[in-house]
Amino acid sequence: MIDPNQVQHINIKIFVENPVAIDLADAIPVFHNWIKNSVCDEMLVDVADYRHVPAGPGVLLIGHQANYSLDHREGRLGLLYNRKDALPGTFRDRLNQAFGAALRATELLEDEPPFRGKLKFNRALTEVFVNDRLLAPNTDETWQALKPEIQEYFPGCVVERLGEPRDLFRVSATTR
Amino acid sequence: MKASNPFWKPHLADRVPSQMAAELEVFENEIALKKQGKIEDRVFAETRLRRGAYGQRYDNGQRSDGQTTKKLLFPSEETKGPNTLWDAPGMQRIKIPFGGLDAPQLEMLADLCEEYSDGIAHITTRQDVQLHFIHIDDTPSIMRRLASVGITTREACGNAVRNVTACPIAGVCREQVFDVTPYAKAIAYFMLGHPDAQAFGRKFKISFSGCKDNACALARLHDFGAIAATREINGRIRRGFELWVGGGLGPVPQQARLFDEFVPEEEILPIGQAIARVFARLGEKKNRNTARIKFLVTKLGIAEFKRLVMEERQILPYDPAWTAFLKSVPTDAELPLKPPSLLQIDAAWPANSDKANFDRWRATNVYSQRQAGYATVTIALPLGDITATQLRAVADASRKYIKETVRSTVEQNLVLRWVSEADLPALFEDLKKGDLAAATAGTVMDVVSCPGTDTCKLGIASSRGLASELRTRLTAQNHTMDEAIRGLRIKISGCFNSCGQHHVSDLGFYGVSRNKNGYTVPHFQVVLGGEWTHNAGAYGLAIGAVPSKRIPETVERITGRYLAQRSVGESFQAFVKRIGKAECKAMLDDLMQVPSHDLDPSFYTDWGDAREFTIGDLGVGECAGEVITPIDFALVACEREVFEAQLSLDSGQFEKAAAMAYESMLHGAQALLKFKFFFAPEDADKIVAEFRAQFYDTELFFDPFVRGKFAQDFFNAHDDGGRAASPESAHQLIEQAQLFIEACYSCYARMSATPSKVMA
Ligand code: SF4
């Protein structure tokens, strides 16, 4: 029996609307500056460049409590917020934290000089992952337990379960 | 860091082999003791290294932002090694003996890289897998999950026998003398945790090659390189190995020396054990720079080294494991999933498919096996990196086309063995869907690189940044590239430690720095003409240092010159030798210049890094960890036993607690005996008698204040058979055991200060 309030490590991905308009290399100096200026709530450590990996993790900003990345998995570019550290509170609190952090990062990125006017995120589509197969395997049981919470958090959105059983538990929330 | 960490142990209880489960429990308890401050930093560092948990760049808590070096404010100030912060991300190395992987293992690696790392599994130049940005607190869960699919990380780092490598096409190779896989596997598990392989001053690397002329296992750059050979003895063809010892790269590269032209198969394990003993006994321990076996072989000379090894071999107590594996060698071979078939392009080719790309891919990535109708397919991974999704795609393909017979390679790729040839087009299409069908295997585009400054504490320049840049540029020329250039190899290391194996490459590079115009500028030393074939037959020549940003131009110029001026059939090595080092250098002279910062600031940053270059982030290497003697480990183990005794007492098992406390004392006494005499008895009565004679009667163990009290407690516990009548007396025994272990430490410290060690 999955208790939503025991679920941790919530990830959020918000997709880029016009991926061809940007050069992922520009994310490298931007993320270095974020470290230098402590732009995020998390303690930031380093930048990892995986542009050479097709449909890979792109460019990552490695933090202690969370990673941010311009992630290219499945060939779909987006801002991925990967919460690594556990958080107190309820599932909703954690979802709210992750979504808030991701949303803020998209706004910051859109405003960074190399991306300004070019990078635009589609906030009508969000993917929610749980990056822990033990706490939340991609099963019907997890879906039953978490769907109401996610639906309530994204009112008016169509919430759908994605992926195959080996994948992380993942849902999309799309504005109707 | 993961909230699920406490739950993996019960969840996997019936899937982790008991031996591995016990080892992991030990490691978890060591972590707990470290957190309580009961294990010294240097001892814990070697402990985690021996579990493959390695440090990573910036783990000293400092990082340059290009202008200044700032403190990284990790939540905890605790450490996991000298000057290594607990919370700082680290690397987990995962040993894959001979590179062999099956589908559940690939899927497990996929899950782990997604959940604990940065979504990438990295194949190393020694067929290992590495995960980066790992929190030390997550490592027991990672190890447990790996153990559930039969993988251990034990001795993946540290002063130990590292991953045993072998040709990735062993068993299917057309040139092989015989399949070396069973031998590589046997020695890997024989040496794992072997008592004779625990007291090295440095790491020890083993490789097995199926033939002499090809490159696959690079035997001659190993501490122990075995090349398959046969010999007719008494009218029978016998299997054995041409054995090379004392090779290595690093700052002082050395080719291995021929130890014996033919070591019979039944002798390869005992000879390995005897070499380990000689290395442990006579190898350098204090100065890690001269502690690899190559220095011992040089110092003694190969003849004397061999004499000592053979002498040791004579006195080795017989071990049935030396030959037990030989019985299954004939039946151990891998099997195909499908019957053999011939590729009939028109019939096998799916509709609307991509024939031209298939042909290109087939030319570079497909190897016809010695078994007619079968092929081995290479999946060329960019810089050895593979995503979780791709790992699952490889697992799927390995179930669909073959019997999960996958191997990693020292060129940082994966191979699928035993593909029935008619399946090649369909497999190509499947791999293409996962971005796994790059037609670059074994070509100049398949650039090999160590982690360099991306994650390595010792990295000077960005080897991966450069590798990525070269790969992109060379791939863009793929369709027009001359075959002579296509067949060259490029290997890059971030520093002179040579993890990228740049010495045995046509074009090799290793990171250095130069001070120019008041700035530090990233450079790469250019190494030309190394020989990849003949099991790393020759090392290349260092030509000079070129700024990082000019290496792509350097590659273009050198390959252009080779193309224009080579004589018919002349290899790159022969060309470099013919034109000579001076001419090679002259060719690059202008490229060695650095423009001023004002003119071109890009020279003062590294590839894939926006920060102004610095070497201020260089850390202290953990490549081999500290030299920790077996007694250090043994005494830590004793402390852990006392700790576990306390846990048992807390859970109401006082009798078990007392027995464990007594055992810890016994092991402490045994550790001191081993330290003093190299060997110690296993029997409790004998340990006590020896300890009494050597440490009590001589007063060597005596504390200045309480004299022989701690030893007396030990003797009493022994007389009582390690039993306690009540929880209170168990509690008392635990306290006595703790003090006895402390006294062992003090005694060890006194003995170390006044060298009285007698080697048996
Ligand atoms: S060669 Fe140097 S930079 Fe590369 S992994 Fe080895 S020690 Fe690190």
Side-chain angles (χ1 to χ4, degrees), chain B residues 231-272:
Chain B
R231 197 172 259 193
E232 194 179 321
I233 300 173
N234 299 330
R236 266 185 63 211
I237 298 293
R238 301 284 314 277
R239 285 181 169 194
F241 295 91
E242 183 179 293
L243 185 58
W244 295 77
V245 294
L249 297 176
V252 189
Q254 186 167 300
Q255 289 222 306
R257 315 280 163 85
L258 184 62
F259 178 86
D260 202 320
E261 280 176 359
F262 191 79
V263 175
E265 59 179 351
E266 65 276 11
E267 277 298 301
I268 197 72
L269 265 55
I271 291 290

Side-chain angles (χ1 to χ4, degrees), chain B residues 257 282-284 293-302 304:
Chain B
R257 315 280 163 85
L282 301 178
E284 170 63 43
I293 200 169
K294 62 187 173 188
F295 296 101
L296 181 64
V297 172
T298 304
K299 189 170 115 190
L300 296 173
I302 187 68
E304 174 62 5

Side-chain angles (χ1 to χ4, degrees), chain B residues 96-402:
Chain B
I96 310 292
F98 62 90
L101 287 160
D102 61 21
Q105 291 172 336
L106 289 161
E107 286 168 336
M108 180 54 74
L109 291 170
D111 291 356
L112 299 181
C113 76
E114 212 164 41
E115 288 177 56
Y116 300 96
S117 176
D118 53 8
I120 289 289
H122 174 74
I123 312 287
T124 75
T125 52
R126 300 210 73 256
Q127 296 176 305
D128 298 287
V129 173
Q130 284 179 187
L131 304 178
H132 292 100
F133 301 105
I134 299 288
H135 196 285
I136 184 75
D137 283 336
D138 291 339
T139 57
S141 299
I142 293 174
M143 292 171 196
R144 203 160 258 129
R145 293 174 75 178
L146 287 166
S148 74
V149 291
I151 295 179
T152 179
T153 65
R154 185 170 183 185
E155 293 168 6
C157 304
N159 301 321
V161 176
R162 301 292 187 85
N163 193 37
V164 174
T165 59
C167 320
I169 51 169
V172 299
C173 171
R174 298 190 301 269
E175 324 288 330
Q176 71 180 22
V177 177
F178 55 82
D179 182 2
V180 295
T181 310
Y183 304 89
K185 188 175 172 183
I187 205 164
Y189 290 104
F190 176 70
M191 296 301 259
L192 187 71
H194 196 290
D196 289 341
Q198 303 303 308
F200 298 158
R202 276 291 249 140
K203 56 193 167 184
F204 188 79
K205 294 179 176 176
I206 297 178
S207 94
F208 277 78
S209 181
C211 77
K212 211 165 169 167
D213 293 341
N214 289 321
C216 316
L218 304 170
R220 295 187 65 192
L221 58 80
H222 281 80
D223 298 297
F224 179 108
I227 300 175
T230 53
R231 197 172 259 193
E232 194 179 321
I233 300 173
N234 299 330
R236 266 185 63 211
I237 298 293
R238 301 284 314 277
R239 285 181 169 194
F241 295 91
E242 183 179 293
L243 185 58
W244 295 77
V245 294
L249 297 176
V252 189
Q254 186 167 300
Q255 289 222 306
R257 315 280 163 85
L258 184 62
F259 178 86
D260 202 320
E261 280 176 359
F262 191 79
V263 175
E265 59 179 351
E266 65 276 11
E267 277 298 301
I268 197 72
L269 265 55
I271 291 290
Q273 187 183 347
I275 289 175
R277 279 188 168 206
V278 170
F279 179 41
R281 203 173 63 225
L282 301 178
E284 170 63 43
K285 298 286 194 310
K286 291 204 168 71
N287 179 2
R288 62 192 293 280
N289 295 325
T290 56
R292 288 288 291 273
I293 200 169
K294 62 187 173 188
F295 296 101
L296 181 64
V297 172
T298 304
K299 189 170 115 190
L300 296 173
I302 187 68
E304 174 62 5
F305 178 78
K306 184 174 175 183
R307 190 191 67 75
L308 290 167
V309 169
M310 297 319 285
E311 204 174 85
E312 195 69 44
R313 168 67 189 96
Q314 293 313 312
I315 57 164
L316 282 183
Y318 172 75
D319 186 340
W322 289 341
T323 50
F325 74 100
L326 290 173
K327 281 187 220 87
S328 55
V329 166
T331 53
D332 222 14
E334 288 173 353
L335 294 171
L337 180 68
K338 299 196 181 181
S341 59
L342 291 180
L343 175 61
Q344 290 167 319
I345 296 281
D346 294 337
W349 197 249
N352 305 323
S353 53
D354 183 6
K355 171 112 175 35
N357 281 327
F358 171 77
D359 288 340
R360 264 192 284 275
W361 173 79
R362 189 176 163 218
T364 49
N365 295 40
V366 177
Y367 173 84
S368 290
Q369 294 186 187
R370 67 191 284 118
Q371 298 85 0
Y374 291 104
T376 291
V377 166
T378 300
I379 298 173
L381 302 174
L383 317 191
D385 291 343
I386 185 165
T387 67
T389 311
Q390 288 176 318
L391 282 162
R392 289 187 196 107
V394 177
D396 290 344
S398 82
R399 288 191 176 103
K400 185 171 170 188
Y401 297 101
I402 56 176

